[in-house]
Structure formats: C-alpha cells, structure tokens
Amino acid sequence: MTSGTLDKTTSGFVLAAAVTILFNTALALAKDVSASLTAGMKQLTGHHWTTHGIADLILFLVLGFIFSQTRLGSKLGANAVTAILIGSVIVASLGLAIWYVFV
Amino acid sequence: MIQTIDILLLAHAAFGVTGCLAAFWAFIEALNAQPGNASRIKTAAWITAFCMAASWICGGYWYVHFYPAEKALILKGPWPLAHNFFMETKEHLFFATAILAFLLPLITREKLYANAAARKLVLSASALIVITGMAVEGAGAVIDHGVKVALLPNHSK
C-alpha cells in the first residue's frame, strides 16, 4: 500500500453520493410536511416515489460531474470524503428512522 | 398459480439479497486486495449495481401499482406500524442503498492493492450497502407480516 489519494472522478462521485443520500432523507421529510410538494411530485411522473428516485439519480450524476470537474472531493482528501460518506449514511438512516417513529 | 405480481415481489427481494451478497463479496475481496483479485472486485461491484437496479425496478413497479391495496389492509390490521414505520423508512432508505451500489463500480476502478485510501473507501461503501440493504430486507419481511396478521381473523382478537 503506497498511494493514499483518490482520482478526481472517484472523490467527486463519493462526495456526490454523500450529498444525494442526505438530500434523499431531507426530501422524504419535506414530502411528509408539505402536501403540495408531494402532489407536485406526483404530477411529474404519476407517483411521488418515482419522482423522488429520479431526482436522487439526476442529483447524484450532476453533482458527481460537477465535483469531479471542480476537484472538490480531491481538495478535501481521501480520508475526509470517506468519513463524509459514512457520516451521511448514518445521519440519513437515523434521520428517517427517528422521523417515522415520531410522525 | 403464480402471478406477475408475485414474481415482481419475489424478484425484488431476490435481487436485493443477491446485491447484498455481491457487496459482501466485494468487501471480502477488498480485505485481501491484490493484483490477482482486482478483476473479481470489479465483477462483484458490477453485480451489486446491476442487482440493486433490478431490485429498484421490480420493487418500484410493484410498490406503485400493487402496494396501495396491501397498505389499506395493513392500516386496518393489528400492525399498522408495518406501513407507518417500516415501509415509510424502507421506501426511502432503499435509495441510499441504491446510490451506494451505483457508486461501487466507480470506486473499484482504483488500484486497491496499491492504494490504502481507496481500499478503505471500498470497504466502507460495501459494508454500508450490506448493512442498509439487510435493514431494508428485514423491513420487507415485517411489511409482509403486517399483511398476514391483517388477514388472519383470530390474530387481532
């Protein structure tokens, strides 16, 4: 094991995944709070869940390309983007579980 | 007779479990990353991504078209939390598992046997896929049981 860096595409898409996973939870909570948002998302594809999934995918791809081109992930460093990814999954998962326990 | 609705639901669960197993395979291979198993790590990563995409399509079609009837049964039955907590969490947590699964083939392009940071990243991402994926699978079993207890007349008495 000699190298400790990630290429710009890898680190960019890892960061994009972390942001998308947090966005996914935020959007789920927002849909619960706002009936008009849920209705608007339903109008787009016929079901709010379908729109939700497509929005996640588009965000992941777009942010991945942007973060790769701007080298944002590379600037943060390999260990930082890995920690951000792990942290985002923990926060997003607990956020969903706690929300649906109390709502 | 097995109907399309049953095949879709079983395929959704089967692809999900297979995706988790493939992610676990990638995790084990990455623990012992060498030039000799680099192609196996990539294969495991692509199988993970393919299985999660297939699980998404099968489960998504079933959820949108067939779940509303089961949801109504669950909510009238003795286990409404099967929908209110388990399905609500599962249907959104699955997206996180899927995004991680789509990320895995990208990050396994790195030379893991020569790059400690990339190896750590692949180990983390594949472990997260297994953990969140199995949580989603478990939630699916609870949802299924929520329907079952709603249909058993003596269960709620």
Side-chain angles (χ1 to χ4, degrees):
Chain A
M1 302 282 169
T2 52
S3 172
T5 58
L6 303 172
D7 81 18
K8 63 172 186 169
T9 306
T10 300
S11 51
F13 274 90
V14 171
L15 204 55
V19 174
T20 304
I21 286 165
L22 290 172
F23 165 81
N24 174 57
T25 292
L27 185 57
L29 308 194
K31 282 192 303 180
D32 257 18
V33 172
S34 170
S36 59
L37 174 64
T38 308
M41 289 174 68
K42 185 180 177 183
Q43 268 194 332
L44 283 174
T45 60
H47 200 290
H48 66 87
W49 186 83
T50 308
T51 309
H52 192 144
I54 292 169
D56 283 348
L57 267 183
I58 291 171
L59 186 68
F60 173 57
L61 293 173
V62 170
L63 287 182
F65 283 112
I66 291 172
F67 292 157
S68 300
Q69 293 306 309
T70 59
R71 297 176 182 267
L72 184 60
S74 303
K75 288 171 190 165
L76 289 169
N79 286 334
V81 292
T82 302
I84 290 169
L85 181 69
I86 296 168
S88 72
V89 174
I90 293 170
V91 169
S93 305
L94 289 178
L96 283 171
I98 291 168
W99 178 264
Y100 289 117
V101 163
F102 292 107
V103 174
Chain B
M1 182 181 167
I2 298 174
Q3 297 179 331
T4 308
I5 179 176
D6 304 312
I7 292 169
L8 273 175
L9 189 59
L10 295 174
H12 163 62
F15 277 122
V17 170
T18 309
C20 288
L21 287 173
F24 187 61
W25 177 23
F27 179 87
I28 297 297
E29 296 280 7
L31 276 177
N32 188 35
Q34 296 169 10
N37 71 354
S39 65
R40 285 204 301 273
I41 295 172
K42 288 174 188 167
T43 301
W46 278 106
I47 291 173
T48 304
F50 171 79
C51 285
M52 289 305 176
S55 182
W56 186 340
I57 292 165
C58 295
Y61 189 86
W62 181 87
Y63 174 73
V64 168
H65 291 91
F66 302 115
Y67 180 65
E70 295 204 1
K71 176 183 169 183
L73 277 173
I74 292 170
L75 293 178
K76 285 179 190 166
W79 278 36
L81 85 165
H83 171 78
N84 293 334
F85 176 72
F86 286 97
M87 178 52 106
E88 290 286 5
T89 305
K90 171 189 155 82
E91 74 183 48
H92 295 112
L93 182 59
F94 174 77
F95 289 138
T97 311
I99 294 293
L100 289 167
F102 299 152
L103 179 69
L104 200 57
L106 262 170
I107 61 181
T108 50
R109 292 177 308 114
E110 300 271 357
K111 290 177 180 167
L112 305 190
Y113 54 84
N115 188 334
R119 184 168 157 264
K120 194 166 130 187
L121 174 62
V122 168
L123 287 170
S124 302
S126 54
L128 289 170
I129 292 167
V130 174
I131 294 166
T132 59
M134 293 316 290
V136 166
E137 286 287 344
V142 175
I143 295 158
D144 196 44
H145 196 69
V147 177
K148 183 180 167 185
V149 294
L151 293 170
L152 293 172
N154 293 327
H155 193 279
S156 56
K157 289 180 184 172

